[in-house]
Amino acid sequence: MKHPRSTLSPWTALSRRTVLGLGAGLGALALGAMSVATPTPAAAQSAYPSRPVTLVVPFPAGGSTDLVARLVASRMTGVLGQQIVVENRGGAGGNLGSAAVARAEPDGYTILMGTVATHALNPALQKKMPYDAVKDFAPISLLALIPNVLVVSNDFPAKNVKELIELLKAKPGEYSYASSGNGTPLHLSGELFKSMAGVDMVHVPYKGAGPALVDVIAGHVPIMFDNLPPSLEQIRGGKLRGLAVTTKERAPSIPDLPTIAETLPGYETYSWNAFFAPAGTPKAVIDKLNAASLAALKDPEVSAKLADLSATVVGSTPEELATHVKDELAKWAPVVAASGARID
């Protein structure tokens, strides 16, 4: 029995085989091209950064936080090979800019200059926070500590911390202290002092540290807790009497001024600045940012300018910063509760 002859010509069969072969070859080429064009996550991280990085400062320009941010960012630009662009996004006591970074893409191209306010005080002061200070951020590095200072007007009778405590205990509620505002780090420095020393003095909040300092110099309010940099010039110029700095150790910029802890053991407050990224940022990216920030802090010009601000350079690991934030939250929550301060 003869088999039926195929209706396809040899040329038609060849053409079909050729097309199928070409299709398979082109498919392989396409897959190969895709594997070359689409980098793996590891490759993308190793190329980081490939464009400018935005550093959000959640306070207006010109303050100590902004100055530290711009100083460190300028040196990190050279280390990373991409510009670090500082963006001031103030509002809500630092919450506005911080919340924006918490919601940003976790790719390392948006980072935050966090402070004691954004990551320790605001969570204790506000019932409804727009972010979680621990869960919504990946720590990068604790950069620097900036001391606060206890100052009094020149005609105030107490000449040191011991005399101040004795005076306040003898006349509870008779004296007042100024701060930069309700719930600010300077206000809570005063509340911590009251709690630890067992004294009573009346809090007078101002709309900023500048107006408060003017009134203390004039003697309208006798006592104030201030950031050291703006008060330092007034102390040196004889317009204010500095009683003590609030850090554990004396400030190098004014080493003759004692610490509060020398009279009141365990007392310590300061402003601090640290870099954070959104939670979920890859570890390789965090490590690069950490290394760049540490390199910037070691630059002689940067360290000298930070010293001019009375800042103590830290330069921590991400893990050390994470521990620092948790410790600060635990420290300030009871102080805020005892003060009765709320911002809602």
Side-chain angles (χ1 to χ4, degrees), residues 54-59 66 70 84-90 100 110:
T54 297
L55 170 58
V56 174
V57 176
F59 300 100
D66 179 64
R70 293 178 185 277
I84 310 293
V85 180
V86 176
E87 178 183 323
N88 295 92
R89 196 179 297 190
T110 304

Side-chain angles (χ1 to χ4, degrees), residues 41-56 80 82 84 100-112 136-138 140 276-289:
Q45 291 165 29
S46 65
Y48 172 86
S50 59
R51 53 188 171 87
V53 175
T54 297
L55 170 58
V56 174
L80 291 172
Q82 289 288 343
I84 310 293
V101 175
R103 294 190 297 265
E105 190 71 24
D107 54 10
Y109 289 99
T110 304
I111 61 176
L112 173 72
D136 289 343
F137 295 93
I140 298 171
F276 296 88
T281 301
K283 185 179 184 302
V285 172
I286 294 294
D287 289 344
K288 279 195 174 183
L289 288 167

